[in-house]
Amino acid sequence: MNNIAIIVIRLYQRFVSPYKGFRCAHACLHKGASCSNAILAIVEQHGFFRGYANIKARLHACKLAHATLQLNAQEDSNKRKKKENRHDCCDPSAACDAASCAGKGKHCDLAELPCSCWP
């Protein structure tokens, strides 16, 4: 069984992984080995059945890494959207003006009154 698992993992690494269009989330987040490399090492060291708990733990850690990366991407997207929604403090229709920015910049976010200035 161990040899079959090793062959399947190596076939995956050679013929599937390079063409799937994304990288292992765990490796991306933690800058380490991909799941296929880690599982291959587990199978070579402990065998498939004795290493099953470690394999399962690694796949769970990869799932958590994926969730973390998605959350980080969503937060980055929200920050970009917030930056895009800034208004010029010198805009006469805005509730704040350039003087209220105290020389820190000329942009403010109208959602955060009084004038919240951006460099």
Side-chain angles (χ1 to χ4, degrees):
M1 181 65 180
N2 294 340
N3 290 335
I4 292 171
I6 290 170
I7 290 169
V8 168
I9 292 169
R10 289 195 175 145
L11 287 171
Y12 166 80
Q13 289 176 328
R14 168 99 181 185
F15 296 107
V16 177
S17 184
Y19 306 104
K20 67 183 181 190
F22 58 91
R23 188 167 181 232
C24 166
H26 191 277
C28 187
L29 182 65
H30 300 292
K31 311 291 187 234
S34 68
C35 285
S36 61
N37 283 332
I39 292 171
L40 180 63
I42 291 168
V43 171
E44 288 176 340
Q45 187 176 21
H46 301 289
F48 182 78
F49 292 109
R50 285 189 293 156
Y52 182 75
N54 292 337
I55 293 169
K56 189 175 175 182
R58 175 56 187 246
L59 293 175
H60 181 70
C62 191
K63 181 179 178 181
L64 294 176
H66 180 262
T68 299
L69 290 172
Q70 280 188 322
L71 181 63
N72 290 347
Q74 182 63 39
E75 288 174 354
D76 289 346
S77 175
N78 290 344
K79 286 178 185 176
R80 280 192 302 274
K81 286 179 185 176
K82 187 174 180 180
K83 269 187 174 181
E84 291 169 2
N85 289 333
R86 290 183 190 164
H87 298 280
D88 192 342
C89 290
C90 298
D91 181 359
S93 66
C96 54
D97 61 9
S100 64
C101 288
K104 295 181 183 174
K106 68 173 193 171
H107 289 16
C108 65
D109 183 349
L110 293 179
E112 297 177 6
L113 294 177
C115 186
S116 174
C117 301
W118 302 89

